[in-house]
Amino acid sequence: MSLISKIRCAFTLGQGVLIEDKALQTTNDPIAFFNSWLKQAEDTGIILPESMSVSTCTPAGRPSSRMVLLKEVDHKGFVFFTNYGSRKAEELEANPYAALLFHWNILQRQVRIEGRIERISKEESNAYFQTRGRGSRIGAWASHQSQELDDRETLVQKVKYYEEKFAGKEVPLPEFWGGYRVIPESIEFWQGKADRLHDRFVYQAAEKGWTVKRLNP
C-alpha cells in the first residue's frame, strides 16, 4: 500500500457508519445536519471552513465556478454576497440556479447543494454590509468586480477616491452589491471511507419536508 493510500485509510479509520439506513427514513432536517458538520469542521481548526465553491451557468449552459464564503445558513437557504455586476451575478440573473460545494478534506467530507437563487432584501444586505471592516466596504465601492481593469494603480486610485468621499462618514451599501440565497432543492452528504466505499446520502425537497435516500459511492 502506498503512503498516500495509508494516509487516506488513516483518515477513515474508526469512522463507522455515517448514519443508519433506518435513521435515513426519519431524519428530515438536512440543515441541522449540515450545521453539525460545519461545526465539526470549525472544531478541527480548518481555515475558513465556510469556504464553498459556487457554480453557475450561462443561458447556453456554459458552467463556471469560484470560491466564496458562506455568510448565513438557515431553513430558508444558504446566503453569500457579491457585486451584482460580477460574472456570477450576471449568470445567476439569467439562469437563477446554482450548485454549492463544501469540501473538508481533513474530515474526508463533502456537501453538495443544488437549488434556485433569489436576491435577499436590501435591508438584509445592508445589515451584513455594515458588519464588514471599513476597508472591505470601501473596496466594494471601488471594485467593478469581474470587469476589465487597466492596471493595479487604477484600483488603488479608486480606493483613495472613496476613502476621501466617505471620510468621517459611514460607508453606505452600494446599490450594486448584496446577497443571494440558494434555496436548496437537494443536499448531498458524502463521507469518505476506506477502499472507496464511501457513504453518500441525498435529501431532496418534497411538497412537505424532505425525502432522503442512500447512494452508491
Side-chain angles (χ1 to χ4, degrees):
M1 181 183 288
S2 70
L3 177 60
I4 293 298
S5 295
K6 290 178 181 178
I7 291 172
R8 285 174 174 161
C9 286
F11 277 137
T12 57
L13 280 175
Q15 289 176 343
V17 176
L18 178 62
I19 186 168
E20 297 291 345
D21 288 319
K22 288 183 179 179
L24 287 176
Q25 306 306 317
T26 58
T27 303
N28 60 1
D29 193 348
I31 301 301
F33 199 86
F34 172 85
N35 279 326
S36 71
W37 271 27
L38 179 60
K39 177 62 166 58
Q40 290 170 36
E42 292 170 348
D43 291 343
T44 68
I46 296 172
I47 297 174
L48 298 177
E50 69 274 25
S51 299
M52 61 183 183
S53 169
V54 176
S55 296
T56 58
C57 277
T58 66
R62 288 182 174 270
S64 61
S65 301
R66 73 288 292 160
M67 301 299 294
V68 304
L69 298 180
L70 174 71
K71 289 301 181 180
E72 181 183 335
V73 56
D74 57 25
H75 289 88
K76 293 185 291 184
F78 298 75
V79 174
F80 63 92
F81 293 84
T82 188
N83 185 308
Y84 288 140
S86 66
R87 176 178 174 180
K88 62 177 151 322
E90 289 180 350
E91 292 181 355
L92 289 172
E93 295 294 333
N95 186 359
Y97 293 90
L100 310 178
L101 172 63
F102 294 85
H103 179 216
W104 301 305
N105 186 55
I106 193 68
L107 295 172
Q108 287 290 281
R109 286 176 176 174
Q110 298 182 67
V111 182
R112 298 170 60 192
I113 298 142
E114 298 176 12
R116 59 187 177 86
I117 281 281
E118 68 177 13
R119 286 195 188 191
I120 66 174
S121 69
K122 184 176 180 179
E123 291 73 22
E124 290 174 295
S125 291
N126 186 59
Y128 167 70
F129 188 74
Q130 298 306 328
T131 69
R132 289 163 61 99
R134 186 176 182 85
S136 293
R137 283 178 281 163
I138 292 289
W141 278 93
S143 173
H144 293 171
Q145 191 174 5
S146 301
Q147 306 305 309
E148 184 176 355
L149 181 64
D150 292 335
D151 51 42
R152 179 78 182 180
E153 184 59 25
T154 299
L155 179 62
V156 171
Q157 291 304 316
K158 287 183 179 179
V159 169
K160 290 181 179 179
Y161 169 80
Y162 285 108
E163 286 176 338
E164 294 174 2
K165 180 175 181 176
F166 298 126
K169 298 183 286 187
E170 284 297 315
V171 181
L173 174 72
E175 290 291 333
F176 53 81
W177 195 96
Y180 283 105
R181 176 180 288 111
V182 178
I183 303 168
E185 296 175 351
S186 69
I187 304 177
E188 180 187 325
F189 295 88
W190 182 100
Q191 174 70 69
K193 303 290 288 183
D195 298 322
R196 301 188 183 276
L197 298 177
H198 313 308
D199 271 324
R200 294 175 63 192
F201 62 98
V202 59
Y203 287 88
Q204 294 178 314
E207 186 174 347
K208 294 182 179 180
W210 297 84
T211 63
V212 60
K213 57 188 176 184
R214 185 179 289 276
L215 303 177
N216 273 282

